[in-house]
Amino acid sequence: MNPLSQETCTPCRRGAVGLTPAEVAALLPQLPRWDHIEIEGIPQLQRRFPFKTYLQGLKFVHQVAHLAEENHHHPVLVLEWAQVTVRWWTHTLGGLHRNDFILAARCDDLYREFLRPHFV
């Protein structure tokens, strides 16, 4: 389990600032499967999660949606056949916050749990 996933998200209040490029660079190694991308000038975290079926991907999307609701922080979720793409960034900041890294780590945890064989 990634130590980031054990951290608590903090509300982004007015006046909050995003992470500096140096802070982002320091956190990225903790999320080796995530890409640091920029879309329309906004830095974001993105990962594609592979699945064997569309329905498996849909179940994962529901788990991420519940995670997002619990934390009042909502990613872009793209469901396609055999993959789900998740993109985190903090809309109010127009960039990345530590919360984005925390929730990306929690997505990794959800995915590992999802892939673990369940024996009855």
Side-chain angles (χ1 to χ4, degrees):
M1 196 173 275
N2 187 322
L4 272 172
S5 69
Q6 302 305 303
E7 293 184 26
T8 302
C9 290
T10 58
C12 287
R13 306 254 187 250
R14 180 171 285 170
V17 293
L19 297 173
T20 66
E23 291 169 324
V24 169
L27 287 168
L28 278 172
Q30 295 183 57
L31 297 173
R33 291 184 176 90
W34 288 79
D35 296 316
H36 178 232
I37 64 168
E38 193 170 296
I39 297 177
E40 296 180 6
I42 299 171
Q44 303 175 28
L45 297 174
Q46 175 177 282
R47 179 174 174 190
R48 289 187 174 92
F49 295 88
F51 293 92
K52 290 184 180 183
T53 70
Y54 186 81
L55 288 177
Q56 285 178 337
L58 181 60
K59 288 177 186 178
F60 182 71
V61 165
H62 282 133
Q63 291 177 342
V64 174
H66 285 288
L67 172 69
E69 278 297 301
E70 289 170 359
N71 290 279
H72 309 288
H73 197 57
H74 303 91
V76 169
L77 297 168
V78 179
L79 170 64
E80 302 174 84
W81 183 83
Q83 78 176 4
V84 171
T85 302
V86 180
R87 284 197 338 252
W88 290 103
W89 81 97
T90 301
H91 300 79
T92 57
L93 300 177
L96 291 168
H97 186 274
R98 189 169 189 91
N99 292 347
D100 300 303
F101 285 83
I102 292 168
L103 294 172
R106 289 185 188 170
C107 283
D108 287 346
D109 291 348
L110 285 173
Y111 187 66
R112 271 191 298 280
E113 182 65 26
F114 188 91
L115 295 180
R116 185 186 324 168
H118 295 278
F119 298 100
V120 179

